[in-house]
Amino acid sequence: MAEPADVDGEEAPAPFELYALRYAVHGGRAPADNFLHADPHDAGSDLAYFIWLARRDAEIYVIDTGFAADAAAARGRTLLRTPSEALRLLGVDAAQVEQVILTHLHYDHAGTLTEFPRACFHLQAAEPAYATGPCICRPEARAVFDVENIVDYVRALYAGRVTFHDGDRRLAPGLWLHSVPGHSAGLQCVRVFTRRGWVVVASDATHLYANLARRNPFPIFVDEQALLRGFERLVALAPSLDHIVPGHDPAVIRAYPAPDPSLEGIAVRLDEPPLLSWQELAR
């Protein structure tokens, strides 16, 4: 898909601050848990679970809403803090947030919607069409969703708090949604203008640095070929590989500086240059 025509030609917008906040982890994973074409000799990578925050003065965009204790217990994940608790550490009250981008509706990206009672939720129209449509008759397709999250989404929809997008959309100067289906039917990544230039929050368009580096997908998807095209889309959208942030790689926490020493291991600034090269992180 071609680059939006008015992105690079317009005057540079004011930059956003951009943060990744880690709220949960999952260990003990085998290579086949993270790669479609797994080498059994490789070590399995843990996963980290993030939400993201783009902030520019009074403008606040939360990207994804994570999951809470019930989902962590049901799925054997270690919850470190709730997403709303993580946001509070950066001075953001989830109850007051007005703009939330849902990259997709999987359980680990669209839980805790009720913690954001004032928010308008932005998502691609193809995502809920899949999550509430005929494909969900198959138990395997339902496994990555949480029915209570979907019910909360429907309640938000009936309250007039959902905005649908069909493809690429600029939400604000310096903040774009880009359609990258494959992992899910309506997955979107988020491109944010920061003081180091455009940064692409890939979400699950690439779980790990190595998924993209090896063009070896995470083994959960609705369309493998679309997912592979999504890898190329990420590369085309970013100024360099060092400007692509994967959705679940624990290396993100050591790749970027914390905003404050008290937040080491919890939050990092994605608007700062990475401390390690993309090649080092993708090993």
Side-chain angles (χ1 to χ4, degrees):
M1 187 179 296
E3 182 75 4
D6 61 338
V7 173
D8 297 326
E10 67 183 0
E11 183 178 348
F16 281 92
E17 300 170 8
L18 184 61
Y19 302 88
L21 299 94
R22 186 179 66 152
Y23 70 91
V25 295
H26 185 228
R29 298 176 66 86
D33 295 326
N34 294 334
F35 296 98
L36 180 61
H37 309 291
D39 184 341
H41 300 96
D42 286 345
S45 172
D46 294 348
L47 293 186
Y49 295 84
F50 296 98
I51 62 170
W52 301 271
L53 170 67
R55 178 166 60 187
R56 180 171 60 192
D57 298 326
E59 286 182 271
I60 291 177
Y61 291 85
V62 171
I63 303 169
D64 287 344
T65 58
F67 58 76
D70 52 351
R75 296 176 183 265
R77 272 54 177 167
T78 301
L79 187 71
L80 305 173
R81 59 198 61 83
T82 67
S84 59
E85 289 169 345
L87 287 167
R88 196 173 304 125
L89 295 173
L90 289 178
V92 174
D93 181 358
Q96 301 303 314
V97 170
E98 296 183 353
Q99 304 292 335
V100 172
I101 298 164
L102 296 176
T103 63
H104 58 308
L105 290 175
H106 288 181
Y107 82 94
D108 52 328
H109 294 262
T112 80
L113 297 185
T114 57
E115 296 289 308
F116 298 83
R118 298 183 61 182
C120 172
F121 298 106
H122 297 268
L123 73 166
Q124 294 287 318
E127 184 67 8
Y130 180 93
T132 61
C135 290
I136 298 304
C137 294
R138 296 173 52 248
E140 298 85 358
R142 293 197 297 269
V144 289
F145 297 97
D146 184 321
V147 65
E148 296 305 323
N149 297 349
I150 301 303
V151 170
D152 289 339
Y153 150 75
V154 172
R155 292 187 185 282
L157 173 64
Y158 272 70
R161 296 196 295 117
V162 175
T163 297
F164 295 108
H165 303 283
D166 184 13
D168 296 352
R169 179 64 58 89
R170 187 176 77 163
L171 285 190
L175 195 149
W176 279 79
L177 309 179
H178 295 287
S179 174
V180 283
H183 171 71
S184 73
L187 180 66
Q188 58 186 349
C189 67
V190 185
R191 190 166 60 136
V192 184
F193 188 77
T194 73
R195 57 188 175 182
R196 73 176 178 111
W198 291 99
V199 175
V200 177
V201 178
S203 183
D204 288 4
T206 184
H207 281 61
L208 304 172
Y209 285 102
N211 291 125
L212 176 58
R214 303 175 192 174
R215 302 303 196 266
N216 191 347
F218 193 82
I220 296 175
F221 50 82
V222 298
D223 186 329
E224 181 183 355
Q225 291 305 308
L227 196 160
L228 292 171
R229 289 193 297 271
F231 287 158
E232 304 313 318
R233 187 88 206 280
L234 293 178
V235 173
L237 288 169
S240 77
L241 293 176
D242 289 323
H243 291 77
I244 299 172
V245 182
H248 287 278
D249 202 316
V252 168
I253 284 292
R254 58 187 176 87
Y256 292 92
D260 180 271
S262 66
L263 296 176
E264 290 283 351
I266 299 173
V268 292
R269 293 200 66 149
L270 304 175
D271 53 349
E272 296 277 1
L275 305 172
L276 300 169
S277 72
W278 194 88
Q279 288 78 8
E280 292 175 287
L281 295 164
R283 290 174 182 166

